Amino acid sequence: MNKKIYIVIIVLFGFLLKSCDPTYPVSISNQTDSEVTIQAKKTLRFWNDSIKLKELSDENWIEFNLKPKQSIECGMTIGGLRNDLPFSELKILKPQDTIIAKNENQVMELFAKSFFGNLNTPYKLTIK
């Protein structure tokens, strides 16, 4: 009898693990041949321990530089990206161009997508 209970517990535990949403990192990657400057209005979900950040005078705005071919992980999401965005606004300053996303929908449009238009996982914003 005890053996059956253990088997049922193991099977139920397996189902619970299978139904959990996966976690994915959120990263920004500079694939250009020049340094870029990123200005972002961070949310509570933003974190970074690999690159020096400069706090700007506006509330929650930060700035950092990415060297050519450098990447930064700036958050983690469980399941979908929409509710776990690490920034609500974003400015990417390149030597010849500036990309501005003024709201979360525009930020979402910057992330890599599959052929069918779904966001790729892990979530990666690639600057080209």
Side-chain angles (χ1 to χ4, degrees), residues 98-109:
T98 299
I99 300 167
I100 299 174
K102 295 182 180 181
N103 58 47
E104 290 181 356
N105 289 332
Q106 291 177 354
V107 170
M108 294 281 292
E109 290 296 317

Side-chain angles (χ1 to χ4, degrees), residues 21-36:
D21 288 331
T23 59
Y24 299 108
V26 179
S27 64
I28 300 175
S29 176
N30 178 13
Q31 295 302 312
T32 66
D33 293 327
S34 58
E35 186 172 295
V36 297

Side-chain angles (χ1 to χ4, degrees), residues 25-68:
V26 179
S27 64
I28 300 175
S29 176
N30 178 13
Q31 295 302 312
T32 66
D33 293 327
S34 58
E35 186 172 295
V36 297
T37 300
I38 310 290
Q39 294 178 345
K41 186 173 185 179
K42 64 182 181 174
T43 65
L44 294 175
R45 289 164 179 58
F46 182 89
W47 60 264
N48 165 59
D49 59 1
S50 63
I51 198 166
K52 185 177 179 182
L53 302 175
K54 176 183 173 187
E55 298 283 335
L56 300 178
S57 59
D58 293 338
E59 186 177 320
N60 291 329
W61 278 89
I62 56 167
E63 179 179 279
F64 56 91
N65 296 321
L66 287 180
K67 294 180 174 131

Side-chain angles (χ1 to χ4, degrees), residues 70-119:
Q70 184 181 17
S71 295
I72 176 179
E73 274 194 19
C74 51
M76 188 69 72
T77 181
I78 299 173
L81 180 62
R82 177 155 309 276
N83 295 326
D84 291 332
L85 272 174
F87 26 79
S88 58
E89 296 180 47
L90 189 67
K91 294 178 186 176
I92 302 168
L93 309 165
K94 302 190 304 186
Q96 303 297 331
D97 193 17
T98 299
I99 300 167
I100 299 174
K102 295 182 180 181
N103 58 47
E104 290 181 356
N105 289 332
Q106 291 177 354
V107 170
M108 294 281 292
E109 290 296 317
L110 299 175
F111 284 89
K113 295 180 182 61
S114 70
F115 177 74
F116 299 106
N118 299 325
L119 291 171

